[in-house]
Amino acid sequence: MSLPSVTGLDHYIIRVNDLESATQQYQKLGFSLAPQGRHHTGTRNQTLVLDANYLELLYFPAELRATSRFKHYPDHYEGPVAVALQTTDSAAVQRELASVDIQTEALVSGGRPVHLAQGAEDAAWLNLNFPQGAFGVPDYFTCGHQTRHLVFRPEWQDHPNTARRIKTLVVVHPAPNGLRDRYRQAFGAISVGAAHDDGWQLRRDSLRVRFLTPAAFSARYPGVKLPAALGDVWFAGSIIEVRDIATTRKVLGANAVPFRDTGHEIVVDPAHSAGALQVFVQEDQP
């Protein structure tokens, strides 16, 4: 198996232009909040921590955008920009990528204070950025938590909407089957699903990425428009498993969040979730 040190999905990043407004939107979706964070580099974030993975709303002050890894996005764009892969050893992932001819830059250490009832402690990580566009879309990096206990805390994992985990990430691409060879080379054939006319799915433990053509995406999520500035290539958002979808409906209704209910999934348009498609499904649903 290729990239054996990648053990699943850790989180994904949603870039936002107004952290307070985006946070309020996710509160209306029924998520509990960890304390807002400020990275040592100057960015600010809000995490929505689930059982084993999480969503991160990330804000770049204007003075940091020119040097941001995501500077190629239009300034006005809000939405998903990168996937953090779970690992306990970013250096091992770096070696494994080199073995399939994907060269990376140096590992990146980072941190931020985490404010707890007993006082602040410093969360720390050692990450590896994959080359931009190495897999077409989305962009990836490893998140090597060195203080995982400061991120995944029970007091932040109980959500009114009963969210349990990010089940699947959703990506739109005009020719998704053309990406399969690169993923097969890096992740191994067993992780790369069969090609279909509408796309395919990557599976590696808790990491699942569904690649759809624009037509297939529009058929599955009618009325959800691809951002004009990104053309027909878009990391759209996520499918989130919940413990009780009836409760999810009640929370969204009580908070006056518009949604489309198909009976087996609840679809929230990116306009109401900081530019990210959010789909809620009952846990253990195929």
Side-chain angles (χ1 to χ4, degrees):
M1 181 174 68
S2 301
L3 293 184
S5 298
V6 170
T7 56
L9 171 67
D10 190 84
H11 67 280
Y12 76 98
I13 292 176
I14 301 168
R15 194 184 79 170
V16 301
N17 294 325
D18 184 333
L19 187 59
E20 302 306 328
S21 176
T23 296
Q24 290 172 11
Q25 286 187 317
Y26 276 80
Q27 283 182 293
K28 288 182 178 180
L29 294 182
F31 289 97
S32 299
L33 306 176
Q36 195 176 107
R38 184 181 294 273
H39 299 110
H40 296 320
T41 55
T43 53
R44 292 190 289 124
N45 77 339
Q46 177 65 65
T47 55
L48 311 158
V49 183
L50 307 181
D51 287 6
N53 49 37
Y54 63 96
L55 301 85
E56 178 180 5
L57 307 176
L58 183 61
Y59 169 75
F60 286 84
E63 64 272 17
L64 296 179
R65 289 197 172 187
T67 56
S68 162
R69 186 182 176 206
F70 311 120
K71 60 182 181 293
H72 57 286
Y73 285 92
D75 276 352
H76 67 273
Y77 175 74
E78 288 192 305
V81 290
V83 175
L85 301 173
Q86 184 183 74
T87 187
T88 58
D89 192 342
S90 289
V93 177
Q94 185 176 46
R95 294 190 295 270
E96 291 157 9
L97 286 173
S99 73
V100 293
D101 297 321
I102 297 177
Q103 304 303 319
T104 60
E105 296 182 357
L107 300 175
V108 180
S109 61
R112 67 177 177 89
V114 177
H115 298 282
L116 306 173
Q118 64 270 30
E121 295 187 49
D122 225 29
W125 53 83
L126 186 64
N127 294 355
L128 176 69
N129 292 329
F130 288 26
Q132 184 180 319
F135 295 94
V137 65
D139 280 327
Y140 296 93
F141 65 98
T142 62
C143 186
H145 290 287
Q146 297 177 320
T147 52
R148 186 176 176 86
H149 65 286
L150 296 179
V151 177
F152 291 91
R153 299 186 64 83
E155 63 264 36
W156 304 332
Q157 293 173 302
D158 185 16
H159 301 274
N161 63 14
T162 74
R164 176 174 175 259
R165 66 168 179 145
I166 300 166
K167 178 180 183 180
T168 307
L169 302 176
V170 180
V171 173
V172 185
H173 193 279
N177 290 331
L179 303 174
R180 292 175 70 251
D181 284 346
R182 191 60 158 162
Y183 277 92
R184 185 185 296 111
Q185 178 191 27
F187 287 89
I190 195 171
S191 297
V192 176
H196 300 283
D197 289 343
D198 60 354
W200 63 282
Q201 182 165 269
L202 174 73
R203 299 182 67 154
R204 164 65 65 83
D205 298 314
S206 63
L207 173 68
R208 298 184 183 183
V209 186
R210 181 172 295 153
F211 296 87
L212 297 171
T213 64
F217 178 84
S218 295
R220 178 154 187 162
Y221 304 112
V224 178
K225 296 181 179 180
L226 279 66
L230 303 187
D232 50 7
V233 176
W234 182 33
F235 172 19
S238 58
I239 299 171
I240 297 174
E241 279 191 339
V242 298
R243 290 178 170 82
D244 184 359
I245 201 165
T247 297
T248 310
R249 289 189 184 95
K250 290 178 182 177
V251 169
L252 295 177
N255 292 334
V257 177
F259 62 88
R260 183 172 65 89
D261 191 345
T262 69
H264 67 277
E265 63 181 14
I266 294 171
V267 181
V268 177
D269 190 276
H272 307 291
S273 45
L277 173 74
Q278 299 299 353
V279 181
F280 298 95
V281 298
Q282 181 67 41
E283 64 179 337
D284 298 326
Q285 180 177 297

